[in-house]
């Protein structure tokens, strides 16, 4: 899992970069179990374990760090102190650069707590810095690994009674449910390591659920994972990694096709080109959300023609809010400010009448009734007669989800 520490680049060649992998987990026990496997199998690898605790008065948290493994030269040259208060991304960037300077080809396993919102946090950690050392200069990106305790998985992704605040891009997030925090962690991973008691097989339903929550990830058992391979030690450039993390945070995106798994869990994607009637959508929510464990996507409300409406649920909790503005053909500044992925997707799906505007939501749950969900959402779309009335009339429609009427 780690490069040969004795290997050196031939004279005149650029020395190899270090490799930085990230480890999270839905319980400390299973996260620690994999970190222990890495230490036993690859004693030259360095594990940098992190905890983050909100301070009582300081807006920044207390960041505790502990290193394990690696050579004595790493231990001596990169003393990692505990109890620093500040931006975790800045503190960890300094730690990681110190570890690389101590050994050029080091492989670091950065173990992060559940209080981190992975995608925006990693974007900040790997942010390019003009005139200063960046992680790009020292490391390639390894996989983002998530250990999943199958025994607590369903409880975690349906827990809406507890709230959580996650550290993301330089600050704490707004309060969100524990279920939302758990699902985000699974969705951000490149490799999912499934843990079960003893040597018992991983429940089929748990595997199916994580495959539907993250269809692009490798899924493997935690007890006997391979010692190497792309799922555990694959390298990619920091630029490609940042592109993937940023794409996952886009307000407007194209959802992946549902995976083909046994019927314990199913997924579907609903798409529509015309806007939704806010009142009819509110009335249809009971039919739409019945049996749904996770849903996410974006919508176009007729009474809010300029706003991208973000839709996200985990367990029985649904969050609907304005997240962005639709791109307009004549708004050059907005097109230039949009990401390359957003511009490409908008051009690809552009409609002469609707422009970029469209609706798309993905749903996951056990035995979803696709006909019921699709029918309820289709029934909430505005009719041909309502479409002909235009935005001036739509803006006056009552909006149970956002308030009495849309703002002027």
């Amino acid at each position: 899992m780690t490069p040969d520490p004795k290997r050196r680049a031939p004279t005149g060649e650029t020395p190899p970069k270090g490799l930085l992998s990230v480890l999270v987990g839905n319980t400390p026990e299973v996260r620690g179990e994999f970190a222990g496997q890495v230490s036993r199998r690859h004693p030259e690898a360095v594990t940098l374990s992190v905890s983050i605790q909100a301070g009582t008065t300081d807006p920044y948290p207390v960041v505790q760090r502990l290193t394990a493994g690696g050579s004595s030269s790493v231990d001596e040259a990169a003393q990692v102190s505990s109890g620093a208060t500040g931006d975790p991304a800045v503190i960890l960037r300094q730690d990681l650069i110190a570890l690389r300077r101590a050994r050029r080809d080091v492989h670091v396993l950065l173990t992060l707590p559940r209080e981190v919102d992975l995608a925006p946090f990693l974007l900040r950690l790997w942010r390019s810095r003009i005139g200063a050392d960046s992680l790009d200069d020292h490391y390639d990106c390894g996989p983002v690994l998530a250990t999943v305790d199958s025994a607590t998985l369903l409880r975690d992704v349906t827990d809406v009674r507890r709230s959580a605040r996650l550290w993301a891009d330089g600050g704490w997030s707004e309060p969100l449910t524990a279920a939302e925090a758990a699902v985000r962690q699974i969705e951000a991973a490149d490799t999912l390591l499934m843990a079960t008691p003893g040597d018992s097989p991983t429940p089929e339903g748990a595997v199916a659920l994580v495959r539907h929550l993250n269809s692009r990830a490798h899924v493997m058992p935690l007890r006997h994972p391979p010692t190497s391979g792309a799922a555990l030690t694959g390298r990619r450039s920091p630029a490609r990694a940042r592109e993937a993390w940023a794409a996952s945070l886009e307000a407007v995106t194209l959802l992946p096709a549902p995976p083909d798994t046994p019927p314990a869990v199913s997924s579907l994607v609903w798409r529509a080109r015309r806007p939704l009637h806010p009142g009819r959508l509110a009335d249809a929510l009971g039919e739409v959300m019945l049996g749904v464990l996770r849903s996410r996507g974006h919508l176009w409300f007729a009474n809010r023609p300029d706003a991208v409406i973000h839709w996200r649920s985990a367990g029985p909790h649904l969050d609907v809010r304005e997240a962005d503005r639709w791109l307009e053909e004549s708004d050059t500044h907005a097109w230039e400010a949009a990401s390359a992925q957003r511009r490409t997707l908008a051009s690809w799906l552009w409609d002469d009448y609707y422009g970029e505007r469209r609706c798309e939501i993905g749903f996951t749950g056990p035995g979803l009734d696709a006909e019921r969900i699709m029918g309820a959402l289709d029934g909430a779309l505005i009719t041909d007669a309502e479409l002909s009335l235009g935005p001036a009339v739509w803006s006056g429609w009552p909006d149970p989800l956002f308030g009495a009427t849309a703002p002027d």
Side-chain angles (χ1 to χ4, degrees), residues 1 19-23 34 38 107 109 141-146 189-193 216-221 225-236:
M1 190 165 182
L19 182 62
L20 174 57
S21 300
V22 173
L23 174 66
F34 182 74
V38 172
H107 183 178
L109 183 66
C141 281
V144 176
L145 311 162
D190 301 307
T191 300
L192 296 162
L193 297 143
R216 65 176 179 79
H218 299 276
V219 181
M220 59 183 61
T227 58
S228 62
L232 297 179
T233 60
R235 288 176 180 260
R236 57 180 168 171

Side-chain angles (χ1 to χ4, degrees), residues 9-15:
T11 304
E13 291 187 13
T14 303

Side-chain angles (χ1 to χ4, degrees), residues 20-88:
L20 174 57
S21 300
V22 173
L23 174 66
V24 294
N26 68 331
T27 66
E29 293 77 16
V30 295
R31 189 174 65 230
E33 181 178 340
F34 182 74
Q37 286 187 27
V38 172
S39 296
R40 290 190 298 273
R41 296 184 183 187
H42 309 280
E44 289 299 320
V46 177
T47 300
L48 176 57
S49 300
V50 182
S51 69
I52 297 174
Q53 292 130 13
T56 54
T57 57
D58 199 297
Y60 287 108
V62 177
V63 185
Q64 304 276 355
R65 297 103 69 215
L66 175 67
T67 54
S71 64
S72 59
S73 64
V74 169
D75 296 336
E76 294 168 1
Q79 293 294 328
V80 174
S81 60
S82 63
T85 299
D87 186 334

Side-chain angles (χ1 to χ4, degrees), residues 171-212:
W172 293 105
S173 69
E174 295 180 5
L176 49 100
T177 66
E180 176 66 32
V183 171
R184 287 190 192 185
Q185 190 176 91
I186 292 172
E187 291 174 342
D190 301 307
T191 300
L192 296 162
L193 297 143
M194 307 296 294
T196 53
D199 286 324
S200 58
T202 306
E204 183 180 90
V207 174
L209 178 55
V210 298
R211 288 191 187 279
H212 280 265

Side-chain angles (χ1 to χ4, degrees), residues 11 55-56 157 173 181 199 219 231 247 272 303 312 315 318 324-325 353 357 370 381 390 392 404:
T11 304
T56 54
V157 300
S173 69
D199 286 324
V219 181
N303 62 321
R312 177 180 284 166
L318 173 64
D324 206 336
R325 313 300 283 178
Y353 185 77
R357 295 171 178 82
L381 295 170

